[in-house]
Amino acid sequence: MIKDRVGFIGLGNMGGRMTRRLLDAGIGVMGYDTDSTRVAAAGAETAASMREAVEYADVVLLSLPDSRVVEAVVEGEGGVLASCRRGQTVIDLSTASASSTRRLYARFRERGVNYIDAGISGGAAAAEKGTLTLMVGGDADAVDAIQWVFAPISAKAVTMGASGAGHTAKLLNNFLNAVSLASTAEIMVAGKKAGLDLHKLLDVLNSSTGVNFATLNRFPHIVDGNYLEGGLTSKLMTKDVVLYVDLVRELGVASMNASGPMASFGLATALGYGDQISNRVVDAIGDVSGGVRLKDA
């Protein structure tokens, strides 16, 4: 296995940051993206086609929006499946459907190629610092063999089980993230309208039972006008909630709490915040609550 270079497909918000971490670790990266300027911005060598990126090394990384795009990139003409060779490893860092992942795993296995799903958590800030958490699914030996790829981009990489287990864990995590962000946005708007000091409110929440990732890491910045731009958008957050609902439907688990984040991030998209960071959901809720903003102009 060539351990000093990887092919990387999808160098967007997260892929570009991970690429820079790999390069900083001395790993060569050849990248392919429909927007070639992203590859140049990340500092990677630009592939003229997906095939060139796949043929560049024995490990190929995918960082794509959803299963629909992953399937098109993998199974489309000139895609990864048509270009790969026996002994290669393909690592899917996307947020994707576990059932789709397992199906692709079977197709790659027929070609003698390892397919590993590695859901990522931590957002743009963790990707920038190389401190992501990875939730990994796939054959144990194949996962062990590519730890050198995970090391520059993550602080923790946990093997969750067989193919699809990593993407399953990722969807469960992302749903909790969506619930906590939407709910915290709502109570912060309520706190503002009630005339509370929002810094004091956060201090109380963070030492009480309402504490969550949003109260600890997002809203201390948002109340001062810093929305932490560059992270997951409201459209993508909605997509993740839909994937979660599909997952629990397949599992036969009742979903009693999906309507809240679906409504919240759907509202954000309807009001024009869909392509902005999902933290802007607080402004969408504020818009329909009398034009509330957490930070006074």
Side-chain angles (χ1 to χ4, degrees), residues 10-207:
L11 282 78
N13 184 47
M14 297 297 284
R17 287 176 165 86
M18 287 186 279
T19 291
R20 287 191 286 273
R21 294 302 305 176
L22 293 167
L23 291 168
D24 288 345
I27 297 171
V29 182
M30 177 177 284
Y32 177 81
D33 194 285
T34 52
D35 181 355
S36 61
T37 63
R38 293 175 174 174
V39 181
E45 184 178 350
T46 302
S49 64
M50 276 192 283
R51 177 177 293 277
E52 186 176 7
V54 172
E55 293 177 346
Y56 174 73
D58 286 341
V59 176
V60 179
L61 307 181
L62 310 179
S63 182
L64 302 166
D66 55 32
S67 288
R68 178 183 58 83
V69 179
V70 172
E71 289 169 358
V73 164
V74 168
E75 299 179 298
E77 184 177 353
V80 178
L81 197 59
S83 306
C84 64
R85 61 185 179 274
R86 181 171 294 276
Q88 277 187 301
T89 297
V90 178
I91 306 171
D92 185 6
L93 301 159
S94 314
T95 301
S97 161
S99 58
S100 173
T101 297
R102 288 190 293 269
R103 185 181 67 79
L104 294 179
Y105 166 86
R107 294 207 65 189
F108 275 112
R109 190 172 186 180
E110 290 174 354
R111 297 287 302 273
V113 174
N114 300 309
Y115 189 57
I116 294 169
D117 49 293
I120 58 178
S121 184
E128 194 75 45
K129 294 182 290 185
T131 57
L132 292 164
T133 295
L134 303 184
M135 294 152 272
V136 185
D139 296 342
D141 289 345
V143 172
D144 288 343
I146 47 81
Q147 292 299 317
W148 61 274
V149 180
F150 291 158
I153 64 174
S154 66
K156 178 183 289 188
V158 180
T159 303
M160 304 301 298
S163 178
H167 281 162
T168 295
K170 167 67 170 172
L171 291 178
L172 300 180
N173 174 80
N174 276 25
F175 179 66
L176 284 178
N177 178 43
V179 170
S180 63
L181 176 54
S183 299
T184 304
E186 183 176 313
I187 68 99
M188 295 304 288
V189 170
K192 180 70 173 182
K193 290 202 76 171
L196 300 182
D197 181 310
L198 297 185
H199 291 94
K200 290 182 178 179
L201 177 58
L202 283 170
D203 183 51
V204 168
L205 292 173
N206 286 332
S207 59

Side-chain angles (χ1 to χ4, degrees), residues 208-280:
S208 302
T209 55
V211 63
N212 61 69
F213 186 87
T215 62
L216 284 170
N217 298 291
R218 300 182 190 276
F219 281 91
H221 303 281
I222 296 170
V223 296
D224 289 328
N226 176 9
Y227 289 83
L228 305 171
E229 301 292 356
L232 192 72
T233 66
S234 284
K235 284 182 179 177
L236 290 176
M237 187 72 88
T238 303
K239 177 266 299 181
D240 287 357
V241 176
V242 171
L243 284 173
Y244 167 79
V245 172
D246 286 343
L247 171 66
V248 294
R249 176 183 52 79
E250 292 171 3
L251 295 172
V253 174
S255 180
M256 314 303 292
N257 297 289
S259 58
M262 282 294 291
S264 298
F265 296 106
L267 174 69
T269 298
L271 294 181
Y273 301 101
D275 293 320
Q276 298 181 52
I277 189 169
S278 53
N279 294 340
R280 291 277 180 179

